[in-house]
């Protein structure tokens, strides 16, 4: 197995998914839930993100070609989705905690597009294209699993922070997370627009 490739995949995905940066957003979205529901939401989010990344690693380019969708379009869609969530966090219009909401939070925006976002998807697709032989594919797979495990650990043990912050602290974190999320969303959309402009300027 190519350990250098494994390390590259692990570090790249970890930097893109940014577990420390994800924690305040995760706490803002799940702060009102019980510890059990919060842990379940974290596990579901990581499982979904893993599934999405694996699907795109295996058949991403084929899928995008079939749908006639460019990667910047995927990026722009992710940005628009995050803006909607950011507005909810900033205005305080978050839903009451119940099982349905737990699932929703885990799927959108935690699982995708925050964890399995355009950056992670594109990076994984590039690593798979670079891979040559079974050993390389195995290194990419182990790298993805290791990165996901690290994210899960970060989310799983962020519960202690909720106890320290208390409801008033969670409210402050929610507003800050909303601002961060809005900034991430605007950056995604700006990158998508820039990529489209570059494509059409080059006569794509």
């Amino acid at each position: 197995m190519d350990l250098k490739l494994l390390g590259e995949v692990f570090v790249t995905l970890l930097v893109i998914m940014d577990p420390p940066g994800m924690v305040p957003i995760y706490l803002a979205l799940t702060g009102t839930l019980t510890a059990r529901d919060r842990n379940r939401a974290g596990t579901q989010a990581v499982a979904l993100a893993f599934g999405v990344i694996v699907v795109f690693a295996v058949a991403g380019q084929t899928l995008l070609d079939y749908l006639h969708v460019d990667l910047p379009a995927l990026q722009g869609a992710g940005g628009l989705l995050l803006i909607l969530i950011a507005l909810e966090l900033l205005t305080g219009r978050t839903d009451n905690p119940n099982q349905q909401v737990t699932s929703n939070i885990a799927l959108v925006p935690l699982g995708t597009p925050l964890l399995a976002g355009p950056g992670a998807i594109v990076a994984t697709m590039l690593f798979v294209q670079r891979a040559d032989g079974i050993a390389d594919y195995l290194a990419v797979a182990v790298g993805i699993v290791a990165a996901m495990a690290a994210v899960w650990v970060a989310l799983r043990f962020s519960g202690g922070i909720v106890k320290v912050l208390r409801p008033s602290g969670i409210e402050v974190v929610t507003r800050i997370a909303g601002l961060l999320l809005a900034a991430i969303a605007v950056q995604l959309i700006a990158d998508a627009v820039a990529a489209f402009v570059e494509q059409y300027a080059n006569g794509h």
Side-chain angles (χ1 to χ4, degrees):
M1 193 194 296
D2 187 344
L3 292 178
K4 183 172 177 286
L5 179 60
L6 191 158
E8 274 182 54
V9 174
F10 175 71
V11 171
T12 303
L13 286 180
L14 215 55
V15 168
I16 291 170
M17 290 188 287
D18 184 23
M22 192 64 60
V23 166
I25 296 167
Y26 172 70
L27 293 179
L29 291 167
T30 62
T32 55
L33 300 176
T34 63
R36 190 173 162 213
D37 283 346
R38 188 167 54 248
N39 290 339
R40 188 186 295 128
T43 303
Q44 286 175 343
V46 172
L48 174 75
F50 178 71
V52 169
I53 286 176
V54 167
V55 167
F56 274 95
V58 173
Q61 200 57 58
T62 310
L63 190 63
L64 292 180
D65 290 345
Y66 176 74
L67 295 171
H68 304 292
V69 171
D70 290 329
L71 283 170
L74 198 65
Q75 210 162 358
L80 289 173
L81 191 59
L82 287 185
I83 277 184
L84 293 175
I85 307 291
L87 288 173
E88 279 196 6
L89 292 177
L90 286 168
T91 56
R93 290 190 301 104
T94 47
D95 300 295
N96 292 324
N98 58 45
Q99 182 51 45
Q100 187 59 40
V101 172
T102 305
S103 298
N104 289 346
I105 287 168
L107 304 180
V108 179
L110 279 178
T112 181
L114 279 176
L115 291 176
I121 286 168
V122 173
T124 308
M125 283 166 63
L126 291 175
F127 278 124
V128 169
Q129 285 169 16
R130 259 179 54 193
D132 182 25
I134 298 294
D136 281 2
Y137 287 123
L138 188 61
V140 172
V142 173
I144 293 169
V145 171
M148 284 298 168
V151 171
W152 181 81
V153 167
L155 297 185
R156 178 71 178 78
F157 292 103
S158 63
I161 302 171
V162 174
K163 291 174 187 169
V164 174
L165 288 176
R166 306 199 182 282
S168 56
I170 289 290
E171 201 168 321
V172 173
V173 168
T174 300
R175 298 295 180 270
I176 294 168
L179 196 60
L180 290 173
L181 213 50
I184 292 168
V186 169
Q187 187 64 56
L188 277 175
I189 293 168
D191 289 347
V193 170
F196 274 127
V197 168
E198 193 179 329
Q199 269 186 17
Y200 290 108
N202 293 336
H204 176 64

